[in-house]
Each structure stands twice: as C-alpha cells, then as structure tokens.
Amino acid sequence: MVMLVGGMAIAMAVAATNGWTALLAIGPIVLVIAFGSVRLARRDDDLGALLRGQPDERQRTRRLRIQAFVGRVTAVTAAGAYVGAVTARAALWPFAVALALALPCLALVAGWIRYREGAVEPGEGEG
C-alpha cells in the first residue's frame, strides 16, 4: 500500500512538472514496481517479511547494526571533510553535498555487505 501511495505521489509530481504526456511514460513503470512489491511481500521469506513490515529479531538486529555503521562512517567522514576543507581553505558546500548524498548510500551498501547473513562478527569465534 505504501508503494502504491508513493507511486501515486511520483506520478502526480511528474504530471505537475512535465505535463500529462510524461505520465504516460512513467505510469506503467510505477504500476509494475508497486504490484511487484506487493507480490514480493506475499512471499514467506526474509524479503517478504521486510516488505510487510514484520521483521523478526534477527532482521531487526541486522538493520540496527547497519544503521549504526552508516552513522559512524558518516560522522567520522564529516569530521574529516570539515577539517580538510578548513585546512585547505576550500569551500565547504561540495563536501556537504557529497556527504549528504553519496556517502550514506555507499555506507549502507558497505554495511549490508559487512553484516550479511552468515558473516562472522569481529570478536566472535567459531568455537
């Protein structure tokens, strides 16, 4: 349902900015994504549980670890970028744009890979 409402918001924004003819191009894509996500949510697996908003404890713990990883990476990199910009006497806004847009996305992918299923945590041994 959230995907359908989000798709409708995207469709209205496209129609308002580019006219109704642009809606004919993006409308089918939005519908396919919305109905595909509904179909995936009906499955009885991890992805279906996440799309339904019913994660188990293992999935919640993984999500919390990934969010913490993204926060740590972003905070450390923001501090480093600020010190680097002040030291170089450069404009700070290009760093801010890169940090706000690209870094959290890259850190999310890195965290997803780091905390993937079956990954051994640092400090956790096999025996």
Side-chain angles (χ1 to χ4, degrees):
M1 187 61 148
V2 173
M3 291 293 288
L4 195 55
V5 171
M8 288 174 53
I10 291 171
M12 290 307 211
V14 167
T17 57
N18 297 328
W20 290 103
T21 55
L23 186 61
L24 295 176
I26 198 158
I29 296 169
V30 169
L31 288 175
V32 166
I33 291 172
F35 287 115
S37 67
V38 168
R39 189 162 173 88
L40 285 174
R42 290 183 180 164
R43 292 178 21 188
D44 189 26
D45 60 356
D46 286 347
L47 181 61
L50 289 174
L51 288 174
R52 285 191 307 271
Q54 300 170 337
D56 59 9
E57 185 175 335
R58 174 185 52 84
Q59 292 166 333
R60 282 190 290 253
T61 302
R62 182 178 179 209
R63 185 182 75 191
L64 185 64
R65 286 181 176 170
I66 292 171
Q67 287 174 339
F69 180 78
V70 170
R72 286 190 307 261
V73 168
T74 304
V76 168
T77 308
Y82 179 75
V83 169
V86 169
T87 303
R89 295 192 173 127
L92 194 58
W93 71 265
F95 295 108
V97 170
L99 287 174
L101 298 176
L103 184 66
C105 296
L106 294 174
L108 178 68
V109 171
W112 194 271
I113 292 169
R114 180 177 179 182
Y115 296 113
R116 69 185 178 277
E117 195 67 32
V120 177
E121 294 296 318
E124 292 182 9
E126 289 278 329

